[in-house]
């Protein structure tokens, strides 16, 4: 959610700062798309991105939508892994360290949330079965 707020602010105060992302995109066509479409529309796109990130953050907190919101953040982070952070590098190893590894780590930290809803549902079902077995009708 903090990332979304940051995009709201940077999109207004330093929109040209987003241009560097085209420099580290792994796919040449993505660099061209960034320069030709993203940058001319960066004001609107940072608002959309901010709303997207805040919505995913709220969704991760809310138990009913945790899995969907987690997938939403993973999709965003995979995209950022492909685009990179715009830090110049002289080699593939340096590029991985400067522009890619942190987003891969963030994805790894999110993966356990993909089973959170299932675990909550399964523990709730076990609890209900236990109450029925004990003849307890409170639920």
């Amino acid at each position: 959610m903090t990332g979304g707020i940051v995009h709201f602010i940077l999109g207004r105060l330093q929109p040209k700062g987003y241009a560097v992302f085209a420099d580290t995109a792994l796919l040449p066509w993505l660099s061209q798309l960034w320069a030709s479409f993203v940058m001319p529309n960066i004001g609107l796109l940072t608002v959309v991105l901010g709303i997207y990130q805040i919505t995913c953050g709220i969704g991760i907190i809310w138990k009913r939508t945790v899995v969907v919101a987690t997938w939403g953040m993973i999709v965003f982070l995979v995209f950022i892994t492909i685009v990179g952070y715009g830090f110049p590098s002289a080699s593939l190893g340096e590029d991985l360290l400067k522009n890619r590894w942190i987003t891969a780590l963030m994805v790894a930290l999110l993966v356990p949330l993909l089973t959170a809803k299932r675990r909550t549902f399964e523990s709730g079902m076990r609890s209900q079965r236990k109450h029925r077995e004990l003849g307890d009708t409170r639920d």
Side-chain angles (χ1 to χ4, degrees), residues 31-130:
S31 293
Q32 294 165 355
L33 178 67
W34 197 270
S36 65
F37 175 75
V38 173
M39 287 311 297
N41 298 294
I42 198 67
L44 173 64
L45 293 173
T46 53
V47 170
V48 171
L49 179 58
I51 291 169
Y52 180 82
Q53 286 185 308
I54 290 170
T55 302
C56 286
I58 292 169
I60 287 172
I61 294 170
W62 193 28
K63 286 182 184 179
R64 290 183 179 204
T65 57
V66 66
V67 174
V68 172
T70 301
W71 275 115
M73 282 310 302
I74 288 173
V75 166
F76 169 73
L77 291 170
V78 166
F79 174 73
I80 292 300
T81 303
I82 294 167
V83 173
Y85 287 105
F87 297 118
S89 56
S91 67
L92 176 62
E94 187 179 2
D95 179 62
L96 290 173
L97 286 174
K98 289 182 171 181
N99 293 299
R100 321 255 178 234
W101 79 272
I102 192 69
T103 49
L105 175 64
M106 286 188 264
V107 168
L109 292 172
L110 286 171
V111 167
L113 293 176
L114 294 174
T115 60
K117 188 174 185 178
R118 187 172 355 138
R119 279 185 273 165
T120 302
F121 176 76
E122 289 170 357
S123 67
M125 293 302 291
R126 280 193 298 268
S127 175
Q128 286 178 358
R129 259 186 264 131
K130 189 175 182 178

Side-chain angles (χ1 to χ4, degrees), residues 6-48:
V6 167
H7 286 296
F8 284 141
I9 295 168
L10 291 179
R12 304 294 72 62
L13 298 178
Q14 297 177 341
K16 292 183 182 193
Y18 285 87
V20 297
F21 289 95
D23 298 340
T24 54
L26 293 176
L27 307 168
W29 65 265
L30 190 53
S31 293
Q32 294 165 355
L33 178 67
W34 197 270
S36 65
F37 175 75
V38 173
M39 287 311 297
N41 298 294
I42 198 67
L44 173 64
L45 293 173
T46 53
V47 170
V48 171

